[in-house]
Amino acid sequence: MSKRILVVGGVAGGASAAARIRRIDAKAEIIVFERGEHVSFSNCALPYHLSGIVEDSESLVMMSPEKFKKQHDIQVRVRSEVTAINRNEKTITVHDFEKDTVYTESYDKLILSPGANPILPASIPGIRKPHVFSVRNVTDIRALKQYLDANQVKKTAVIGGGFIGVEVAENMRMAGLEVALVEGMPQIMAPFDYDMVQILHKEMLDHGISLHVSATLSEILDHSILVKKKDATIELEADLVVMAIGVRPETTLAREAGLDIGATGGIQVNHNYQTNDPDIYAVGDAVEIYNRLLHRPGRLALAGPAQRQARAAAGHIYGMSHRNTGYIGSSCVKIFEQNAACTGLNEKAIREAGIPYNFAYILPTDKVGLMPDSHYMCFKLLFEVPTGRILGAQAIGKGNVDKRIDVIAAMITSDSTLEDLKELELCYSPVFGTAKDVVNLAAMVASNLLEDHYRQVPVTKVRELVESGACIIDVREEMEYAAGHLKGAKNIPLSQLRERMDEIPRDIPVYLHCRTSQRSYYAICCLQGNGYTNVTNLSGSFLGISLYEYFNDVTEGRTPILTNYNFN
């Protein structure tokens, strides 16, 4: 007798599960219920309709109910909301919006993929005004685009600096709109560390986005918003507002059915994505899954993991084994000309977990410098002390940051160490990378730090060194120094170091830097070889410090510690 399998929700989780079941079982009766208009669409591509990169919103729709039926013999019922699970009877209750009728359907197995809902705090006055939007599906993005066009909107505000927020802001700016982005935390893009994300802050400023961090929305008016920033309330003009402060898992159906909810607020599942009812599975944004680095439950609202979960759940229904390795959290984003990617843990998560750690922060070129499209890549590799186990990495630049982070993700998944990464053999051509690739170089720098071959000070601590009058030596060439330098720094070029070594004191701490920390590392090796024990490298050096200091200097009006920024 063939199985009767019902799926609640489509897109990455539900639609993938249904398609996988059909590949396994040609005879199963499969019905997918979706409360929205579309069962399968590219939700990650939604913001790109605003700029016209995706011209036709219809192209965002991947599969129609008719196509599902013809290609896979799967029945899809859109605009049909499942309102209850009746576990004792093994039925669900469905509200058909088109016919305004309520009916029940029985199941042998049930898969839940209800996703997550945008957070829209009812406490914010004006949150329900007609010019306030969220972005969750094709219907949402169409309504947003139609409002922009019909009302000839020029000034907009985006609330929230996560993936959806920055992508919506970027695409509206590319469409020629004035955009203000408001983020409650001190930075956008929470998966990245504060020192890294300053590059993205600068990129948004450079492209005309008015960026307000450490700021919270307090009220939405007809043509403006009120924002609390520090001890003041400021008013920003906005004829349209997009709310993107986050999502919460849709667990109402599961809760009411008596399914267990985990500590993080997601539906609790086992390693095969079964709930506490063995005939009910759950996948996607609504579930709680295992963080393999922190050894505790977490949530991850990404399409890739949802599809893998869907495949595993579908397979388990038919007795297929699944090796659940947990998640590490890999993601990437493009913000104008900068690409950004990260994997594993950032500093905040590592500190909260109490893991002893250090990191390498480097700014090499992404390919051989002779290539005309060669650019710096800011790369940060985090590792456990003293084991050298790789904990995470972040990369930002104009080149292939995703390629480098994918390498690190693979290394983390295989529980690799710095020694493994140092010796990793990768492809090389001048048009693709360097013979000593960014990831190999990061592992070498990290190994030197782990083995105490030299000391470093991060870019986050340089300002206090400058303001305290610390002894800082700039080993760049004289022309580089003249073009811009740290205030109070003394210029002793690496090419003159051996002849001028007596100018460097031995009885006080000395901090060295160059453009990206490579030449200053050479200088430290030279000095340590000549008996100096008081020298420390400034991680990131002049380029890293310029990138780190710029945003707060410009937006907060701080006194710069640099005579001139240099981002080349």
Side-chain angles (χ1 to χ4, degrees), residues 97-144:
F97 293 135
E98 295 288 348
K99 299 177 181 178
D100 195 22
T101 58
V102 176
Y103 63 95
T104 61
E105 290 282 2
S106 63
Y107 64 84
D108 295 315
K109 300 292 181 181
L110 177 66
I111 300 177
L112 304 179
S113 181
N117 293 322
I119 297 172
L120 299 170
S123 59
I124 298 176
I127 195 74
R128 297 298 177 187
K129 286 182 179 290
H131 65 292
V132 179
F133 296 84
S134 60
V135 177
R136 184 178 186 267
N137 53 39
V138 177
T139 302
D140 291 342
I141 205 69
R142 280 176 176 164
L144 172 52

Side-chain angles (χ1 to χ4, degrees), residues 194 463 467 545 548-561 565:
Y194 187 73
R463 172 171 283 272
E467 292 177 343
I545 297 164
Y548 180 76
E549 291 288 325
Y550 179 79
F551 175 72
N552 285 317
D553 286 356
V554 170
T555 59
E556 302 297 328
R558 296 189 315 188
T559 301
I561 61 172
Y565 304 103

Side-chain angles (χ1 to χ4, degrees), residues 386-436:
T387 66
R389 180 172 65 109
I390 300 169
L391 298 174
Q394 300 159 40
I396 301 177
K398 295 183 178 182
N400 294 329
V401 299
D402 56 331
K403 165 187 169 182
R404 273 64 182 216
I405 293 301
D406 283 344
V407 169
I408 303 301
M411 300 298 282
I412 292 174
T413 303
S414 61
D415 294 320
S416 298
T417 67
L418 298 177
E419 287 299 314
D420 300 313
L421 184 56
K422 263 174 37 178
E423 297 301 319
L424 188 65
E425 183 178 341
L426 299 167
C427 296
Y428 163 64
S429 165
V431 298
F432 292 113
T434 53
K436 189 186 296 179

Side-chain angles (χ1 to χ4, degrees), residues 25-262:
D25 185 351
K27 302 295 186 181
E29 183 181 1
I30 309 167
I31 308 175
V32 179
F33 300 87
E34 170 57 51
R35 66 182 176 184
E37 296 180 69
H38 307 99
V39 66
S40 179
F41 56 89
S42 178
N43 49 358
C44 297
L46 294 175
Y48 297 93
H49 179 51
L50 299 174
S51 62
I53 291 176
V54 177
E55 292 185 23
D56 184 2
S57 64
E58 193 60 37
S59 63
L60 293 165
V61 180
M62 311 304 291
M63 290 281 282
S64 65
E66 295 75 21
K67 199 171 182 180
F68 259 111
K69 182 64 178 174
K70 287 181 179 180
Q71 290 192 0
H72 304 293
D73 191 25
I74 294 172
Q75 187 180 153
V76 174
R77 301 177 188 175
V78 295
R79 293 187 52 75
S80 297
E81 182 178 15
V82 177
T83 58
I85 302 170
N86 314 302
R87 290 169 55 192
N88 292 335
E89 295 80 19
K90 294 188 72 172
T91 64
I92 60 171
T93 303
V94 185
H95 179 199
D96 184 329
F97 293 135
E98 295 288 348
K99 299 177 181 178
D100 195 22
T101 58
V102 176
Y103 63 95
T104 61
E105 290 282 2
S106 63
Y107 64 84
D108 295 315
K109 300 292 181 181
L110 177 66
I111 300 177
L112 304 179
S113 181
N117 293 322
I119 297 172
L120 299 170
S123 59
I124 298 176
I127 195 74
R128 297 298 177 187
K129 286 182 179 290
H131 65 292
V132 179
F133 296 84
S134 60
V135 177
R136 184 178 186 267
N137 53 39
V138 177
T139 302
D140 291 342
I141 205 69
R142 280 176 176 164
L144 172 52
K145 184 70 165 63
Q146 288 167 3
Y147 190 95
L148 285 170
D149 295 342
N151 295 276
Q152 297 183 318
V153 172
K154 299 297 182 186
K155 297 183 179 182
T156 65
V158 178
I159 315 301
F163 287 95
I164 293 295
V166 299
E167 288 172 347
V168 166
E170 175 198 26
N171 281 276
M172 290 201 299
R173 183 67 188 136
M174 290 170 66
L177 301 170
E178 293 183 38
V179 182
L181 178 63
V182 178
E183 167 57 48
M185 301 299 290
Q187 66 172 79
I188 62 170
M189 299 304 299
F192 292 85
D193 286 325
Y194 187 73
D195 52 357
M196 294 289 289
V197 86
Q198 301 308 322
I199 304 170
L200 303 181
H201 287 173
K202 177 182 181 298
E203 187 72 3
M204 300 198 89
L205 291 185
D206 288 349
H207 285 82
I209 288 182
S210 175
L211 181 56
H212 303 268
V213 295
S214 299
T216 56
L217 175 68
S218 58
E219 186 173 356
I220 301 172
L221 305 173
D222 289 339
H223 299 287
S224 64
I225 60 173
L226 300 183
V227 174
K228 290 182 180 179
K229 193 171 183 180
K230 293 185 176 179
D231 297 327
T233 297
I234 60 175
E235 185 171 3
L236 302 174
E237 292 185 74
D239 298 313
L240 180 142
V241 179
V242 178
M243 296 297 299
I245 62 174
V247 296
R248 61 168 57 93
E250 176 50 80
T251 60
T252 303
L253 192 63
R255 286 179 187 275
E256 292 178 351
L259 300 180
D260 290 344
I261 305 299

Side-chain angles (χ1 to χ4, degrees), residues 206-505:
D206 288 349
H207 285 82
I209 288 182
S210 175
L211 181 56
H212 303 268
V213 295
S214 299
T216 56
L217 175 68
S218 58
E219 186 173 356
I220 301 172
L221 305 173
D222 289 339
H223 299 287
S224 64
I225 60 173
L226 300 183
V227 174
K228 290 182 180 179
K229 193 171 183 180
K230 293 185 176 179
D231 297 327
T233 297
I234 60 175
E235 185 171 3
L236 302 174
E237 292 185 74
D239 298 313
L240 180 142
V241 179
V242 178
M243 296 297 299
I245 62 174
V247 296
R248 61 168 57 93
E250 176 50 80
T251 60
T252 303
L253 192 63
R255 286 179 187 275
E256 292 178 351
L259 300 180
D260 290 344
I261 305 299
T264 66
I267 302 171
Q268 195 171 73
V269 293
N270 65 14
H271 65 290
N272 292 309
Y273 303 102
Q274 281 176 302
T275 67
N276 53 298
D277 184 324
D279 292 322
I280 302 177
Y281 294 75
V283 300
D285 296 357
V287 304
E288 177 180 272
I289 51 179
Y290 181 70
N291 186 314
R292 66 175 290 156
L293 289 168
L294 295 176
H295 307 295
R296 65 188 185 209
R299 297 205 317 270
L300 188 67
L302 293 174
Q307 289 187 346
R308 293 195 297 276
Q309 294 160 22
R311 179 183 175 87
H316 188 259
I317 289 174
Y318 290 88
M320 296 180 179
S321 61
H322 166 64
R323 179 172 172 257
N324 192 325
T325 59
Y327 76 91
I328 59 175
S330 302
S331 57
C332 58
V333 67
K334 182 189 78 70
I335 302 179
F336 298 107
E337 296 178 32
Q338 294 287 352
N339 305 315
C342 62
T343 189
L345 305 178
N346 59 19
E347 281 200 75
K348 179 181 179 182
I350 294 171
R351 286 195 297 265
E352 288 177 350
I355 302 171
Y357 78 102
N358 202 347
F359 63 85
Y361 175 96
I362 61 174
L363 292 110
T365 55
D366 54 13
K367 57 191 67 174
V368 171
L370 294 172
M371 296 297 108
D373 58 345
S374 172
H375 299 285
Y376 73 82
M377 181 181 293
C378 190
F379 191 91
K380 186 173 185 178
L381 180 66
L382 300 114
F383 58 92
E384 185 179 55
V385 175
T387 66
R389 180 172 65 109
I390 300 169
L391 298 174
Q394 300 159 40
I396 301 177
K398 295 183 178 182
N400 294 329
V401 299
D402 56 331
K403 165 187 169 182
R404 273 64 182 216
I405 293 301
D406 283 344
V407 169
I408 303 301
M411 300 298 282
I412 292 174
T413 303
S414 61
D415 294 320
S416 298
T417 67
L418 298 177
E419 287 299 314
D420 300 313
L421 184 56
K422 263 174 37 178
E423 297 301 319
L424 188 65
E425 183 178 341
L426 299 167
C427 296
Y428 163 64
S429 165
V431 298
F432 292 113
T434 53
K436 189 186 296 179
D437 191 77
V438 172
V439 296
N440 300 124
L441 179 60
M444 293 173 188
V445 172
S447 294
N448 284 337
L449 292 167
L450 182 65
E451 295 162 8
D452 292 325
H453 290 326
Y454 79 101
R455 298 184 299 273
Q456 70 174 5
V457 169
V459 291
T460 56
K461 301 294 184 182
V462 173
R463 172 171 283 272
E464 60 188 74
L465 291 177
V466 173
E467 292 177 343
S468 67
C471 179
I472 299 175
I473 306 296
D474 185 336
V475 302
R476 296 176 300 155
E477 295 304 310
E478 292 168 347
M479 289 182 62
E480 293 177 274
Y481 179 85
H485 55 267
L486 284 172
K487 293 178 179 179
K490 182 175 182 177
N491 185 215
I492 303 179
L494 180 64
S495 57
Q496 302 173 21
L497 181 66
R498 287 166 177 80
E499 293 77 29
R500 297 175 59 183
M501 201 175 295
D502 58 351
E503 297 178 36
I504 300 175

